[in-house]
Amino acid sequence: MRYSLFHVERDKATTLQSQIREMLVSAMLAGQLPAKAPVPSTRAMAGRLGVSRNTVMLAYQALATDGFLVSRERSGFYVAEDVRLAFPASPTARQASANSNAKAQTQHAEVDWEARFRLAPSRQPNITKPENWHDYKYPFIYGQVDSDLFPIGAWRDCMRQSMSLKWLDAWTDDRFAADDPMLVEQIRQRVLPRRGVMAQPDELLVTMGAQNALFLLNHLFVRDGARVAVEDPGYPDMRNMFALRGAELRPIPVDSSGMQVSALTDESLAFVTPSHQFPTSVTMTLDRRRELLDWAERADALIIEDDYEYEANYRGEPTPALKSLDQAGRVMHVGSLSKSMMPGLRMGFVVAPAPVIAELRAMRRLMLRHPPGNNQRVVALFLAQGGHDALIKRLHKVYLRRWEAMNLALADHFPGWSRSPAFGGSSFWLQGPDGFDARQLAADVEQYGVLIEPGDIFWSDPSSHASSFRLGFSSIPEDRIGEGISLLARAAQKQLDQLRITAEAS
């Protein structure tokens, strides 16, 4: 209870008891004191208001008589369960309402927030997903995990270890701008080598997920009018971040080999997702990666590599990270542990030349100093004790089976609509025929417990790409994939039949 909400004015004509009654009734009207909520004890309220305890007691008893409060022996006073019934006939409620209306009439002009905002990020288009996606039987959405696959026992053990006296200082101290050295070392030894990346400690920064890393890089390198290349289709929030900085966005098409480097010209920065292109899951070929690095040299440009879903490479030999091929130090490599462990963990990192990391660290200090120390140490222990490696192996086995089930179901029900991701990933990208509306499809199948992601949000011109959509399989059991795709196909066929009838009629 925030006692600071309550106060009395001694120079008012009304008595202190009346003011206390009106004050509490106003709090009930405003919802700050809901039904069954405890009110401050008479002693606490008297001390807060600077009045006698007897004055407060008399006010409470009057409210109890009017049906606003109930008294519980040895417990105190509580808002009545049926408190709303007391409002219509109560003089105290009428007075509280009148006081509130009078106050509203004498208020100063409201602040014109729209005129004050320098930015309006809430107006930008964003990916949206139902918060209750767990309640859907066929959640073909990206970015969520199957909690049954996570080794909760091993994680719990790491949490217990981190709370021992041995590790207490590791996460209770304020490190100012520094990271947990154990986590930095584990990322260098266990995470980066899988990507073919080598880094010194001063070339690595821990972030609150990849999103935090991308935001920091955007603010460090992008200024108003900067020409920035983005994949099309691509990551909407990266476009949003660049737009907030006033960048001139240059959408670059994506083909079966990744971003079409030949379309790049005089951009100063390029953002790419080479491991599994977002959202198509295309893997950029080795030749295309070398071509991109050559372009950066010629154009004196920088590259932000979001190594999106690298740990989801479970089919064939993955191509090494773009950063591993970079000899000139032009690539800023962004990785995430959230995707392979748990989305809510929010743990990522940046690998870049030491001068870049120094500036990013200083900027991060202004925002949040550093990610929570307890999270960093638990993740460090989880990595050190092999928990992450074991989880990756388990995810690879399960994802491969789900990939195969999805690939087979799509071949049966949506032939020609998708291209199988070469190295795995956790989603399939589908492109319907001209005139097909994926948003309408999403609305039609939701009633059957099927969730899909319309793809127009990923394009720089959403209106021209209404027929694309993405199907994720990381959070849906293997045995439900075929049935869910079948339901989706029936709904899609109804829309296609209607399109055909309309076309024939015209």
Side-chain angles (χ1 to χ4, degrees):
M1 179 62 60
R2 295 180 58 189
Y3 298 164
S4 58
L5 292 171
F6 304 137
H7 67 281
V8 294
E9 299 177 20
R10 297 182 182 278
D11 57 350
K12 289 185 65 172
T14 53
T15 66
L16 294 177
Q17 284 187 41
S18 296
Q19 289 186 52
I20 294 171
R21 292 199 301 270
E22 292 173 17
M23 172 186 67
L24 289 171
V25 171
S26 295
M28 296 177 202
L29 283 167
Q32 294 166 336
L33 279 178
K36 300 182 182 180
V39 297
S41 68
T42 56
R43 184 185 303 277
M45 183 66 84
R48 173 67 184 87
L49 300 178
V51 301
S52 71
R53 188 177 178 186
N54 190 52
T55 299
V56 176
M57 177 62 75
L58 290 173
Y60 281 14
Q61 289 175 343
L63 289 174
T65 300
D66 288 344
F68 288 101
L69 299 180
V70 292
S71 176
R72 299 180 186 174
E73 188 175 355
R74 298 182 181 179
S75 181
F77 286 89
Y78 292 77
V79 179
E81 183 174 358
D82 53 355
V83 65
R84 290 292 172 183
L85 299 177
F87 283 119
S90 167
T92 302
R94 289 198 296 272
Q95 186 59 50
S97 180
N99 292 342
S100 177
N101 291 335
K103 182 179 179 181
Q105 292 173 3
T106 59
Q107 282 180 340
H108 298 289
E110 293 185 0
V111 176
D112 184 357
W113 292 114
E114 292 299 320
R116 298 293 184 93
F117 291 143
R118 190 178 68 83
L119 302 172
S122 64
R123 297 178 185 172
Q124 294 182 315
N126 290 283
I127 301 171
T128 58
K129 303 172 186 178
E131 291 185 6
N132 65 330
W133 66 268
H134 294 89
D135 299 334
Y136 290 78
K137 188 175 182 180
Y138 310 102
F140 293 113
I141 58 173
Y142 169 78
Q144 302 299 336
V145 298
D146 186 341
S147 57
D148 291 339
L149 302 179
F150 189 76
I152 188 64
W155 180 261
R156 187 184 295 116
D157 186 52
C158 290
M159 292 184 68
R160 282 197 296 265
Q161 292 178 54
S162 71
M163 298 182 69
S164 66
L165 291 177
K166 177 182 179 181
W167 304 118
L168 195 62
D169 291 345
W171 59 269
T172 56
D173 290 348
D174 185 350
R175 293 185 174 275
F176 300 99
D179 295 315
D180 185 334
M182 182 178 182
L183 177 57
V184 170
E185 197 60 25
Q186 289 304 312
I187 292 175
R188 292 179 62 230
Q189 291 180 1
R190 292 179 176 269
V191 178
L192 295 182
R194 246 196 304 263
R195 294 164 160 84
V197 175
M198 304 287 288
Q200 297 301 314
D202 63 351
E203 296 175 325
L204 190 150
L205 180 78
V206 178
T207 60
M208 295 283 282
Q211 191 84 354
N212 178 217
L214 296 174
F215 190 89
L216 290 170
L217 288 166
N218 174 52
H219 273 254
L220 185 61
F221 289 110
V222 178
R223 60 173 62 92
D224 190 38
R227 295 178 297 276
V228 177
V230 293
E231 298 166 321
D232 195 30
Y235 185 35
D237 271 347
M238 201 67 233
R239 292 200 304 264
N240 289 341
M241 283 187 264
F242 287 145
L244 288 178
R245 296 291 291 171
E248 178 186 334
L249 298 180
R250 303 279 185 88
I252 307 298
V254 173
D255 59 22
S256 59
S257 297
M259 175 187 273
Q260 294 181 10
V261 177
S262 59
L264 294 170
T265 55
D266 59 348
E267 294 82 9
S268 61
L269 178 70
F271 171 76
V272 292
T273 53
S275 290
H276 294 278
Q277 198 274 331
F278 190 104
T280 66
S281 285
V282 165
T283 297
M284 182 180 282
T285 63
L286 187 58
D287 287 343
R288 188 68 62 86
R289 294 178 192 226
R290 288 172 175 153
E291 185 183 354
L292 179 60
L293 291 171
D294 289 342
W295 164 81
E297 285 271 4
R298 292 194 309 272
D300 190 23
L302 300 176
I303 300 170
I304 297 177
E305 174 189 26
D306 184 352
D307 207 13
Y308 165 75
E309 281 201 332
Y310 190 87
E311 280 81 6
N313 286 315
Y314 48 83
R315 298 185 71 248
E317 288 297 323
T319 305
L322 189 65
K323 180 65 176 174
S324 69
L325 306 173
D326 175 30
Q327 300 298 316
R330 295 183 176 274
V331 177
M332 275 71 70
H333 178 92
V334 175
S336 174
L337 295 172
S338 302
K339 291 291 185 292
S340 58
M341 294 173 67
M342 59 184 88
L345 179 63
R346 309 312 310 150
M347 192 68 67
F349 55 87
V350 184
V351 177
V356 175
I357 294 299
E359 295 301 329
L360 291 175
R361 190 178 302 281
M363 188 183 301
R364 189 193 65 178
R365 178 181 60 81
L366 297 176
M367 296 175 63
L368 50 85
R369 288 186 180 254
H370 58 74
N374 57 335
N375 287 1
Q376 291 196 56
R377 181 47 57 103
V378 175
V379 173
L381 290 168
F382 192 69
L383 290 170
Q385 296 173 16
H388 186 246
D389 293 333
L391 174 60
I392 294 300
K393 290 180 181 178
R394 187 177 188 184
L395 289 177
H396 282 186
K397 292 179 181 178
V398 174
Y399 281 3
L400 178 58
R401 293 197 300 268
R402 293 180 183 180
W403 185 98
E404 291 171 342
M406 177 79 84
N407 193 47
L408 182 62
L410 291 177
D412 287 343
H413 297 289
F414 291 92
W417 286 44
S418 69
R419 183 187 296 112
S420 303
F423 295 102
S426 64
S427 64
F428 280 71
W429 178 253
L430 281 75
Q431 186 73 50
D434 291 342
F436 189 80
D437 189 341
R439 287 205 171 271
Q440 183 60 53
L441 177 64
D444 291 341
V445 298
E446 187 172 350
Q447 61 182 313
Y448 304 115
V450 181
L451 285 181
I452 68 171
E453 291 185 277
D456 55 352
I457 186 68
F458 302 110
W459 296 87
S460 58
D461 181 11
S463 62
S464 301
H465 297 89
S467 62
S468 56
F469 58 101
R470 181 170 65 170
L471 300 176
F473 54 82
S474 60
S475 58
I476 181 171
E478 178 187 348
D479 58 4
R480 295 184 194 171
I481 291 176
E483 184 179 350
I485 296 298
S486 178
L487 288 170
L488 187 65
R490 287 201 289 271
Q493 189 59 52
K494 288 182 180 180
Q495 186 179 149
L496 291 173
D497 290 343
Q498 187 59 51
L499 287 172
R500 178 179 51 79
I501 293 172
T502 302
E504 291 173 353
S506 61

